[in-house]
C-alpha cells in the first residue's frame, strides 16, 4: 500500500490545508485526521481539522485532539487544500452547500464509489484509514512522534475491533508493534477505550440490550437492537455515546449479523450492521442507499420501526440464501 506520488508532491509543495472527516466520528476518523494534522504542522504547514460533531467524550483522552474544530468557514477554503479523511464526499462531513477550494484530496478505505477529489487515494482493502496515514507519513519522511503514534494506534485499533476482526493482518500487527515502539501504551489506550465509560452511557447500553430481538430461523441469524430518542433523553446521552454499540450482539454464537437501529428524528433511523466472516453487509446497505465495508456497513432510512425491521430482515435473508 503506497500513497500516490502526486499526493506526496502536493503535501510537500502546498502550505495551507483543511482536513475534514465524517459526522459521528469514531477512532479512525479522529486518529487519522489528527495524526495527519500533527505531521503537516511539523512540516511547517498551516493546518485545520474540521469534524462537525466535534470529539465525543470517550475520545477526549487522545493526544492533540484540541486541534479539531466543530465549525468551518467555507469561504476560507477557496485558498486551501481540502483533504477528506476516512470518507469520500463532502456530504459525509455535514457540508451541504457547494463551496470552492484550491484542490481536493480523498484519503479513505470505504469501498463506496464516489467521484469527488482531484487526488483520490482509496484503498478498500485497508483495515483502517489510520494504516494509510501511517504509510503516508513514512513516505513523507515525517518522524512518528508519540502523539502521532497514539492517534494512529487508536485509529487502527478501533477499526479492527482492537485486533480481533478478520481485517487484522500480520501487517496490521507489525505496524501496531512499531507504533508501540514509538511510544504508544496499549494498556492505557485500552483502559481509555473500554474501561472508562460514563454511567450514563452504561445505562443507555442496558436499555439497548433490553430491545434485542433474535431472528435465527432463516439462513442468516440476525440480532436487532434499537435506540430511540426517548432513551437518549432518559439517560442523558446522545448519538456520540453509541460508538461500538452495533458490535455488542456479535458476541452471541448464534448471530451472523448484528443490527443497531438508532432513531435520528421522528421517523428517521440510522441502521448500523456488523457481520462476522464472509457475510457482506455492504451489499445490503447499498440496497437502502448506504455503504460501508464487508463486515461493517450502514444506511439512513425513513419509516416506521416495524416496517424497516421487516424490509431489512427480508433483504438480509435474501442475500444469505444466494
Ligand atoms: Mn475507518
Amino acid at each position: 500500500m503506497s500513497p500516490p506520488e502526486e499526493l506526496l508532491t502536493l503535501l510537500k509543495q502546498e502550505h495551507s490545508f483543511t482536513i475534514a472527516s465524517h459526522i459521528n466520528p469514531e477512532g479512525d476518523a479522529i486518529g487519522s485526521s489528527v495524526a495527519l494534522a500533527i505531521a503537516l504542522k511539523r512540516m511547517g504547514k498551516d493546518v485545520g481539522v474540521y469534524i462537525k460533531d466535534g470529539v465525543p467524550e470517550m475520545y477526549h483522552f487522545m493526544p492533540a485532539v484540541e486541534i479539531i474544530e466543530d465549525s468551518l468557514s467555507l469561504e476560507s477554503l477557496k485558498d486551501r487544500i481540502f483533504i477528506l479523511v476516512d470518507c469520500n464526499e463532502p456530504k459525509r462531513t455535514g457540508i451541504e452547500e457547494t463551496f470552492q477550494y484550491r484542490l481536493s484530496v480523498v484519503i479513505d478505505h470505504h469501498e463506496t464509489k464516489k467521484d469527488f477529489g482531484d487526488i483520490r487515494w482509496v484503498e478498500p482493502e485497508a483495515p483502517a484509514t489510520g494504516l494509510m496515514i501511517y504509510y503516508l507519513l513514512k513516505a513523507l519522511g515525517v518522524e512518528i512522534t508519540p502523539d502521532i503514534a497514539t492517534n494512529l494506534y487508536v485509529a487502527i485499533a478501533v477499526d479492527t475491533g482492537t485486533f480481533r476482526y478478520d481485517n487484522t493482518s500480520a501487517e496490521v500487527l507489525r505496524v501496531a508493534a512499531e507504533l508501540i515502539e514509538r511510544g504508544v501504551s496499549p494498556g492505557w489506550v485500552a483502559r481509555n477505550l473500554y474501561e472508562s465509560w460514563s454511567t450514563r452511557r452504561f445505562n443507555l447500553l442496558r436499555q439497548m440490550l433490553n430491545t434485542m430481538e433474535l431472528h435465527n430461523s432463516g439462513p442468516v441469524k440476525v440480532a436487532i437492537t434499537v435506540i430511540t430518542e426517548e432513551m437518549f433523553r432518559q439517560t442523558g446521552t446522545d448519538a456520540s455515546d453509541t460508538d461500538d454499540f452495533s458490535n455488542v450482539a456479535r458476541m452471541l454464537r448464534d448471530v451472523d449479523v448484528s443490527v443497531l437501529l438508532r432513531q435520528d428524528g421522528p421517523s428517521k433511523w440510522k441502521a448500523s450492521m456488523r457481520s462476522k466472516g464472509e457475510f457482506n453487509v455492504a451489499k445490503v446497505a447499498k440496497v437502502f442507499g448506504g455503504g460501508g465495508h464487508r463486515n461493517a456497513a450502514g444506511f439512513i432510512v425513513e419509516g416506521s420501526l416495524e416496517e424497516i425491521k421487516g424490509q431489512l430482515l427480508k433483504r438480509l435473508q435474501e442475500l444469505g440464501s444466494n
Side-chain angles (χ1 to χ4, degrees), residues 167-182:
N167 60 6
T168 305
S169 58
E171 180 193 15
V172 163
L173 292 174
R174 260 182 231 117
V175 171
E178 188 193 325
L179 296 174
I180 291 167
E181 283 168 351
R182 303 278 173 177

Side-chain angles (χ1 to χ4, degrees), residues 22 26-29 32 86-87 108-110 126-130 155 158-159 293:
H22 57 81
E26 21 62 326
D28 193 25
S32 298
D86 198 41
C87 59
D108 189 25
H109 68 136
H110 294 90
T129 301
V158 166
D159 268 22
H293 315 282

Side-chain angles (χ1 to χ4, degrees), residues 4-11 82 103-107 116-122:
E5 218 35 66
E6 51 174 349
L7 175 57
L8 300 176
T9 308
L10 179 91
L11 296 177
F82 180 64
L103 269 172
S104 61
V105 175
V106 168
I107 304 174
F116 182 82
D118 297 309
I119 297 177
R120 294 172 53 77
W121 182 31
V122 178

